[in-house]
């Protein structure tokens, strides 16, 4: 394969590729828990770990996907209906990509063989599933020449809009003229995809959503690193966990419906309602039942999006790590008590990290399992990780074979590694 010209590292190709390789990072949600699909804010980082996708045209009407993280081959015909990959099967994400691209771009989509290799812990909260959606879509777009199509160009004109479209592939919603289809069965937003496409090396990025808008870039402390504890409790969006995950988003929709019915407005997102007047937040509070999950969910959204995310970004930018840690503690508390998506393992990891001297620590991702990040001085990473592991396994020895710890700093956005234009 030829060396990738600098101008083509992330941009559209002059013609369809014969083969291509992409690297897509995992993401760390520093703050902004379940805020994105409501139009709120998040503070994000792309990890320096991720998934590598090697793709080549195969001249057939099928996309074959393999992964070094699991056995088997997913064979996906170029159709808008692909069955057999429900129940949380990893290939369901690949099927969502193929069916959506065929739905939107028809015969333009070509068959391909795609190999995935990963050093990203799966179902850990670092969004390996969204990384799969992003990487498979970028490969098929390059091989099919989709970014040169007028339909694509009319609707996707920036990395932020690309992130929003890829999120809609995952959640099944329409994006402008690009009609919605299938999805993966969960209703999420675009913060994962935004971090992967728009992250900055050695910095955190602050975004608001619906639409995706960059608000700030915050330098990351040069002498600190994230230690990620993968709890060993899989954050799978299936079964009862799927219902609990969707409850958090469905409740936002219910609150918005109450608002629109009461006011006669037609706001599409909760953030639109909040922005409609200085009194809107208090009016929303009056509409939800006291002591209900709706009330807790509303307060968590308002606090996280409008206070904690900006406060955390400001503290980090000023080098005030003590204040940053206090803001993160507040976010973790409200995530546990109001959002209600923590499990004993993630609750314990966040608390013990702080006791062991972490500057800040928080669970992140969809919740109901997954991972916890801790911000620590880089020179203390090894000793901190050893003590954190020991404290965790003394309380939860049953997860010993599934727990893992990784160290990362913000590593920058996805990138095209190799390219053959034929």
């Amino acid at each position: 394969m030829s060396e990738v010209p600098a101008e083509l590292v992330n941009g559209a190709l002059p013609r369809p590729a014969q083969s291509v390789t992409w690297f897509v990072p995992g993401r760390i949600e520093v703050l902004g828990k379940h805020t994105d699909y409501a139009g709120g804010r998040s503070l994000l980082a792309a990890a320096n770990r991720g998934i590598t996708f090697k793709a080549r045209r195969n001249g057939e009407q099928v996309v074959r996907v393999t992964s070094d993280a699991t056995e088997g081959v997913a064979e996906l015909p170029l159709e808008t209906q692909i069955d057999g990959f429900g129940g949380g099967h990893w290939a369901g994400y690949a099927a969502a990509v193929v069916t959506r691209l065929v739905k939107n771009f028809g015969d333009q989509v070509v068959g391909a063989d795609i190999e995935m290799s990963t050093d990203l812990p799966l179902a850990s909260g670092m969004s390996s599933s969204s990384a799969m959606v992003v990487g498979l879509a970028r490969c098929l777009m390059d091989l099919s020449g989709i970014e040169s199509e007028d339909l694509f160009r009319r609707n996707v004109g920036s990395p932020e809009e690309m992130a929003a479209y890829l999120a809609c592939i995952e959640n099944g919603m329409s994006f402008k003229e690009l009609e919605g289809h299938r999805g993966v069965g969960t209703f999420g937003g675009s913060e994962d995809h935004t971090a992967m496409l728009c992250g900055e090396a050695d910095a955190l990025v602050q975004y608001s959503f619906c639409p995706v808008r960059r608000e700030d870039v915050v330098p990351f402390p040069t002498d600190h690193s994230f230690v990620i504890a993968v709890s060993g409790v899989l954050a799978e969006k299936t079964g009862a966990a799927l219902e609990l995950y969707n409850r958090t988003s469905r409740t936002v929709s219910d609150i918005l419906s109450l608002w629109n019915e009461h006011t006669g407005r037609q706001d599409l997102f909760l953030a639109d309602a909040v922005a409609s007047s200085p009194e809107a937040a208090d009016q929303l509070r009056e509409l939800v039942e006291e002591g209900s999950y709706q009330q807790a969910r509303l307060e968590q959204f308002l606090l996280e999006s409008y206070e904690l995310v900006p406060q955390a970004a400001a503290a980090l930018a000023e080098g005030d790590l003590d204040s940053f840690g206090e803001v993160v503690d507040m976010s973790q508390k409200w995530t546990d008590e109001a959002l209600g998506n923590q499990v004993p393992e993630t609750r314990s990891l966040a608390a013990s990290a702080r006791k062991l001297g972490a500057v800040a620590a928080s669970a992140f991702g969809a919740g109901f399992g997954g991972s916890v990040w801790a911000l620590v001085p880089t020179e203390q990473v090894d000793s901190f990780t050893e003590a954190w592991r020991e404290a965790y396994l003394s309380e939860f020895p049953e997860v010993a074979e599934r727990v893992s710890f990784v160290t990362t700093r913000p590593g920058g956005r996805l990138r095209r590694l190799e390219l053959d234009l034929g």
Side-chain angles (χ1 to χ4, degrees):
M1 291 187 180
S2 60
E3 184 178 350
V4 184
E7 66 271 18
L8 299 180
V9 169
N10 290 312
L13 304 179
R15 60 185 181 276
Q18 294 299 311
S19 64
V20 69
T21 300
W22 279 91
F23 172 78
V24 180
R27 73 93 182 87
I28 302 168
E29 175 196 83
V30 180
L31 286 182
K33 300 174 177 70
H34 286 267
T35 54
D36 54 342
Y37 52 77
R41 291 185 174 90
S42 293
L43 190 61
L44 306 166
N48 58 18
R49 292 170 171 259
I51 306 177
T52 300
F53 301 79
K54 299 176 89 55
R56 177 177 292 276
R57 283 173 167 244
N58 62 21
E60 304 175 52
Q61 293 295 300
V62 64
V63 174
R64 296 187 186 90
V65 184
T66 59
S67 171
D68 66 356
T70 186
E71 297 181 353
V73 180
E75 295 206 6
L76 309 167
L78 299 182
E79 300 174 359
T80 58
Q81 182 62 42
I82 303 175
D83 299 319
F85 297 113
H89 193 288
W90 66 268
Y93 291 87
V97 172
V98 172
T99 57
R100 178 61 175 267
L101 292 181
V102 172
K103 177 75 171 178
N104 291 159
F105 301 101
D107 294 341
Q108 185 79 15
V109 184
V110 302
D113 295 329
I114 305 177
E115 300 175 1
M116 302 188 302
S117 57
T118 182
D119 63 357
L120 192 67
L122 301 180
S124 65
M126 296 181 74
S127 206
S128 57
S129 56
S130 293
M132 189 186 309
V133 169
V134 170
L136 294 175
R138 292 305 286 118
C139 287
L140 290 174
M141 286 178 177
D142 280 354
L143 299 180
S144 305
I146 285 174
E147 289 178 273
S148 298
E149 290 293 295
D150 288 341
L151 176 61
F152 182 91
R153 289 177 177 273
R154 286 199 306 271
N155 290 278
V156 181
S158 68
E160 284 80 6
E161 288 184 333
M162 176 72 90
Y165 174 56
L166 296 179
C168 288
I169 289 179
E170 188 166 335
N171 65 33
M173 295 180 66
S174 295
F175 182 75
K176 301 183 182 179
E177 296 176 77
L178 301 171
E179 185 179 350
H181 183 65
R182 189 183 175 100
V184 300
T186 60
F187 182 75
S190 56
E191 75 162 36
D192 300 352
H193 317 76
T194 300
M196 293 166 190
L197 271 73
C198 305
E200 299 281 352
D202 300 318
L204 307 184
V205 289
Q206 181 179 309
Y207 271 89
S208 58
F209 297 90
C210 306
V212 181
R213 301 178 301 274
R214 175 173 286 197
E215 295 184 336
D216 201 2
V217 177
V218 184
F220 191 77
T222 57
D223 55 352
H224 282 67
S225 297
F226 285 122
V227 179
I228 309 293
V230 182
S231 69
V233 180
L234 296 181
E236 293 189 284
K237 300 170 188 174
T238 59
L242 174 62
E243 173 59 26
L244 288 171
Y245 174 84
N246 281 339
R247 180 184 73 156
T248 62
S249 58
R250 187 174 60 248
T251 300
V252 168
S253 298
D254 292 342
I255 295 170
L256 187 61
S257 294
L258 287 172
W259 165 262
N260 285 336
E261 181 180 354
H262 178 76
T263 62
R265 295 174 59 88
Q266 295 182 327
D267 291 319
L268 297 178
F269 302 101
L270 188 54
D272 295 336
V274 175
S276 65
S277 76
E279 300 79 25
D282 287 336
Q283 291 173 348
L284 282 161
R285 291 183 172 103
E286 293 173 358
L287 294 176
V288 297
E289 181 182 352
E290 185 173 355
S292 66
Y293 183 71
Q294 282 189 352
Q295 182 188 49
R297 182 72 178 92
L298 174 62
E299 293 297 341
Q300 183 271 335
F301 171 76
L302 294 172
L303 180 67
E304 183 90 352
S305 184
Y306 296 97
E307 297 185 38
L308 300 184
V309 168
Q311 288 172 6
L316 202 60
E318 294 167 3
D320 186 351
L321 297 185
D322 289 341
S323 294
F324 178 74
E326 292 172 1
V327 172
V328 173
D329 286 345
M330 182 65 70
S331 173
Q332 177 66 21
K333 172 182 171 66
W334 275 82
T335 300
D336 190 8
E337 297 179 2
L339 193 58
N341 69 347
Q342 296 303 289
V343 295
E345 291 85 350
T346 55
R347 198 177 290 126
S348 174
L349 279 166
S352 66
R354 289 290 271 156
K355 290 179 181 178
L356 291 168
V359 169
S362 176
F364 65 100
F368 312 106
S371 297
V372 173
W373 62 259
L375 181 64
V376 300
T378 301
E379 64 179 12
Q380 298 176 17
V381 160
D382 291 342
S383 59
F384 173 85
T385 301
E386 182 179 354
W388 202 16
R389 180 195 300 271
E390 182 178 343
Y392 181 53
L393 292 182
S394 68
E395 186 174 0
F396 299 98
E398 66 277 7
V399 303
E401 295 183 0
R402 302 189 301 275
V403 68
S404 60
F405 292 78
V406 298
T407 302
T408 184
R409 286 179 51 85
R413 67 195 68 184
L414 83 177
R415 54 194 180 272
R416 194 185 276 126
L417 301 179
E418 295 180 293
L419 175 67
D420 182 0
L421 292 175

